[in-house]
Amino acid sequence: MLFHIPIQIQGILSTISFLDVVDILIVALILYKLYAMLQGTRAITLVKGLLVILALTLVCNWLSLHVIYWLLQQTLTLLFVALPIVFQPELRRTLEHLGQGRFLGKSLFLDDDDARNLVNAIDRAVMKLSSEKTGALLVFERDMGLKEFTMKGIQMDALISAELLGNVFVPNTPLHDGAAIFRGSRLVAAGCMLPLTDNSSLSMELGSRHRAALGLSEQTDALIVVVSEETGTVSIAENGRLARRLSSEHLKTYLRPLFIPKTTGLKDMFSNWRKGK
């Protein structure tokens, strides 16, 4: 039995060309990437609130509630004027993604085995620093470049290892007080100064390292690992948020996505097939 498409739907489909489909897919991809960039940040809550107000505006217009509709229209106008100010960090991040050609994704630095070895090496070094209560600040670059911060530190180009990280954060040395910045599997700079957060609601027990980590996470998409000099507590700063008192397994959970892809692409499948995995 053949399925007959209604004439109205056939008429609509006949007006859709191949370029229209491509146009829709590109817009959908852009919206998805924007959502992925905002997800997990404070901006996503504001976006949801904006969508609620927009939906209420449409409903009030449909119900002919003229006064409420006018008030909501004025509110939306004010919000759109204020959006560049409210979303300044996110807009800056998006523009830098576009400028670096990384809006659609980033290349992987390592294969699975090397990435796991690297994560384990970082974990061993951080946990050793934690047990010795040696303060440390480790910054892992993601899509957004951190050249403006690396240029203010001591330039280096060294392969990451547990021994290297232990030597970088030796107390009372020039590199100890600043941040070490990593790009992929390499340490690119140490002794770097980071911007402090303006958040006045932070606990008084948090020192300058935690405030610097939060400050950088508010301005960039970097992942920052903090080891407290007073308590040895390990923390992670990401997207303006601070996760504290992390165990070794929790730390590795944060670090793995920096080097190991979440999904397996065709290239990885072919590579695994060649290795007999």
Side-chain angles (χ1 to χ4, degrees):
M1 182 177 179
L2 296 177
F3 177 75
H4 296 285
I5 302 177
I7 297 177
Q8 294 85 349
I9 297 179
Q10 290 182 17
I12 294 174
L13 293 177
S14 64
T15 62
I16 300 176
S17 66
F18 174 75
L19 290 179
D20 292 328
V21 174
V22 173
D23 189 22
I24 293 171
L25 290 177
I26 291 174
V27 172
L29 178 60
I30 292 174
L31 291 176
Y32 169 75
K33 293 300 295 184
L34 289 174
Y35 174 77
M37 291 172 60
L38 292 176
Q39 191 175 27
T41 67
R42 293 170 295 179
I44 194 64
T45 305
L46 297 176
V47 170
K48 291 178 180 177
L50 191 62
L51 291 176
V52 169
I53 295 176
L54 183 60
L56 287 175
T57 303
L58 295 175
V59 170
C60 291
N61 184 39
W62 179 61
L63 296 176
S64 299
L65 301 175
H66 302 295
V67 176
I68 299 177
Y69 175 69
W70 182 84
L71 289 174
L72 289 174
Q73 266 194 323
Q74 303 310 309
T75 301
L76 282 174
T77 302
L78 292 174
L79 286 176
F80 279 114
V81 172
L83 279 180
I85 300 173
V86 176
F87 288 159
Q88 187 271 334
E90 286 74 19
L91 290 173
R92 175 184 172 184
R93 183 180 305 177
T94 302
L95 291 174
E96 292 203 11
H97 281 321
L98 291 172
Q100 295 167 2
R102 297 179 179 180
F103 182 74
L104 295 178
K106 62 177 181 179
S107 59
L108 300 177
F109 299 116
L110 304 169
D111 61 31
D112 286 358
D113 292 336
D114 290 340
R116 290 189 178 90
N117 292 335
L118 181 59
V119 168
N120 290 333
I122 297 171
D123 174 68
R124 288 198 308 273
V126 170
M127 290 304 153
K128 187 173 187 297
L129 293 169
S130 173
S131 64
E132 297 172 352
K133 293 186 178 180
T134 300
L137 196 55
L138 296 81
V139 179
F140 295 92
E141 184 182 271
R142 283 177 167 161
D143 288 344
M144 186 179 294
L146 301 175
K147 187 175 181 180
E148 62 180 295
F149 302 105
T150 60
M151 294 300 293
K152 298 176 183 178
I154 299 175
Q155 303 300 300
M156 303 180 71
D157 183 20
L159 188 65
I160 299 175
S161 66
E163 295 75 18
L164 173 66
L165 297 182
N167 289 330
V168 167
F169 294 105
V170 173
N172 303 318
T173 61
L175 303 181
H176 174 249
D177 290 331
I181 298 180
F182 305 90
R183 181 177 298 131
S185 60
R186 306 193 74 82
L187 169 63
V188 294
C192 303
M193 296 295 104
L194 305 181
L196 300 180
T197 180
D198 294 327
N199 191 339
S200 59
S201 63
L202 293 178
S203 171
M204 295 299 294
E205 66 182 62
L206 297 180
S208 58
R209 283 192 179 87
H210 293 85
R211 294 179 181 275
L214 275 175
L216 184 65
S217 72
E218 291 169 349
Q219 298 183 19
T220 72
D221 63 349
L223 180 79
I224 305 101
V225 179
V226 189
V227 180
S228 172
E229 192 168 356
E230 289 75 24
T231 63
T233 300
V234 178
S235 306
I236 288 282
E238 184 181 24
N239 295 324
R241 298 178 180 178
L242 189 66
R244 304 183 62 196
R245 300 180 178 86
L246 300 180
S247 65
S248 172
E249 192 55 43
H250 287 145
L251 177 62
K252 287 190 283 189
T253 300
Y254 276 97
L255 293 174
R256 287 188 190 108
L258 297 176
F259 310 103
I260 303 175
K262 293 181 180 180
T263 58
T264 303
L266 293 176
K267 181 180 178 181
D268 300 318
M269 292 173 63
F270 178 70
S271 177
N272 292 338
W273 173 78
R274 285 197 310 164
K275 296 177 181 179
K277 294 184 179 181

